[in-house]
Amino acid sequence: MSIPAFSDIAKPSNDLLNKDFYHVAAATLEVKSKAPNGVSFKVNGRSAHDGPTNGSIEAKYLDAPSGLTLTQAWTTFNALDTKVELDNTISKGLKAEVITQFLPSTQAKGAKVNLYFKQPNFNARAFFDLLKGPTASIDAVLGHDGFLVGAEAGYDVQKAAVTRYSAAVGYTIPEYTAAITATNNLSVFSASYYHRVNSAVEAGAKASWDSKASNNVGLEVASKYRLDPASFAKAKINDRGIAALAYNVLLRPGVTLGLGASFDTQNLNESAHKVGASFTFES
């Protein structure tokens, strides 16, 4: 099993708790296609419950022999994003990214360089924001026989100071994972687990405590059930009584529908409930 990145040590439980719950937006639409020459296109739009509708159009070109990937996107915020990736070209296991952003309306610019380095028992990343600070964020994870230990630190070059630091430990095998993280300068603690009960059922939970905010511990539990090869259902609830349900179905090859709803179980008579839908078309 490959070693995950620092932000992915608790990924199985985080995905179970957060991914594919469609109530977070009133409606989302995603269309994916691929041209005969290998260029892929993606258009997505999102209508928020409160706020404007936003979206983007993206084109990606992959030159497999050289490991070069070029991605360009234009968003409804009038941002032009470009990303150039080199994978296993400079060195085996090393991936380099150069990301730029330009806002024509304000002439604002952004430039970032990201490095990813993976080996059988090691995963490290470095992110550099060249125009803001500049700043750097570096994390690394070591793994052996399913055990994981990782750390992250942020550094402001102009101030010559460490701006944040985090740590995490975990254990992962195909059937289940468990992780403990300490973020925000070791002030926010989380413990999570994920269990693949069988081929149809998944379960997980996460407890969080902010030592600087209160003595209360937040708790969230979730489960996923695969109804058949083309559909699944998810449910979750947290300590505040907010429950969410989701249903995902493959209507036909390349067409996926997602439906979701959330309810405040402690205030069922109030209008705090949310519903949402998602459509994905892929060819």
Side-chain angles (χ1 to χ4, degrees):
M1 182 176 292
S2 62
I3 304 301
F6 179 80
S7 60
D8 293 337
I9 288 180
K11 187 177 188 300
S13 59
N14 287 337
D15 282 352
L16 183 64
L17 289 163
N18 301 311
K19 192 176 179 181
D20 296 324
F21 282 102
Y22 306 105
H23 66 274
V24 294
T28 60
L29 174 66
E30 185 173 72
V31 180
K32 302 177 183 178
S33 63
K34 191 171 184 178
N37 63 354
V39 178
S40 58
F41 299 91
K42 182 170 70 173
V43 178
N44 62 63
R46 177 187 177 99
S47 176
H49 291 286
D50 299 308
T53 298
N54 58 72
S56 66
I57 181 170
E58 176 185 291
K60 178 184 289 187
Y61 171 73
L62 170 63
D63 183 40
S66 66
L68 171 68
T69 302
L70 174 63
T71 305
Q72 291 187 304
W74 191 14
T75 73
T76 51
F77 297 107
N78 198 18
L80 300 172
D81 299 326
T82 301
K83 180 166 68 173
V84 179
E85 304 170 62
L86 287 173
D87 194 5
N88 283 320
T89 301
I90 303 172
S91 177
K92 184 175 177 57
L94 177 64
K95 177 182 175 182
E97 291 180 347
V98 177
I99 302 174
T100 63
Q101 185 180 70
F102 177 62
L103 279 69
S105 59
T106 62
Q107 300 296 304
K109 302 178 180 68
K112 298 179 181 180
V113 174
N114 302 330
L115 300 174
Y116 307 82
F117 184 65
K118 294 181 65 174
Q119 294 297 310
N121 296 310
F122 181 69
N123 191 324
R125 305 181 303 173
F127 307 96
F128 304 94
D129 193 322
L130 304 180
L131 302 183
K132 293 182 180 179
T135 60
S137 177
I138 299 173
D139 61 56
V141 177
L142 291 171
H144 181 70
D145 290 340
F147 290 95
L148 304 170
V149 59
E152 175 194 41
Y155 185 78
D156 190 310
V157 176
Q158 192 173 34
K159 297 179 181 178
V162 175
T163 56
R164 71 177 191 279
Y165 46 89
S166 306
V169 294
Y171 181 73
T172 180
I173 59 175
E175 292 80 16
Y176 71 89
T177 65
I180 298 175
T181 62
T183 58
N184 287 21
N185 300 339
L186 307 184
S187 66
V188 179
F189 301 89
S190 298
S192 61
Y193 89 94
Y194 164 85
H195 183 200
R196 182 179 290 276
V197 181
N198 52 48
S199 60
V201 179
E202 303 171 35
K206 181 178 182 179
S208 302
W209 174 53
D210 188 337
S211 62
K212 294 183 177 180
S214 69
N215 289 324
N216 297 327
V217 175
L219 179 64
E220 195 171 15
V221 296
S223 182
K224 177 179 178 180
Y225 179 65
R226 183 159 289 281
L227 303 169
D228 53 54
S231 64
F232 64 81
K234 297 182 71 174
K236 69 175 179 178
I237 190 169
N238 62 25
D239 61 289
R240 301 185 306 278
I242 306 299
L245 302 172
Y247 174 69
N248 178 288
V249 59
L250 182 66
L251 298 176
R252 54 176 294 180
V255 181
T256 303
L257 169 66
L259 300 172
S262 71
F263 311 92
D264 187 342
T265 60
Q266 297 180 347
N267 299 283
L268 290 175
N269 294 328
E270 297 184 6
S271 59
H273 317 306
K274 297 179 180 179
V275 295
S278 170
F279 293 91
T280 302
F281 301 90
E282 188 170 0
S283 62

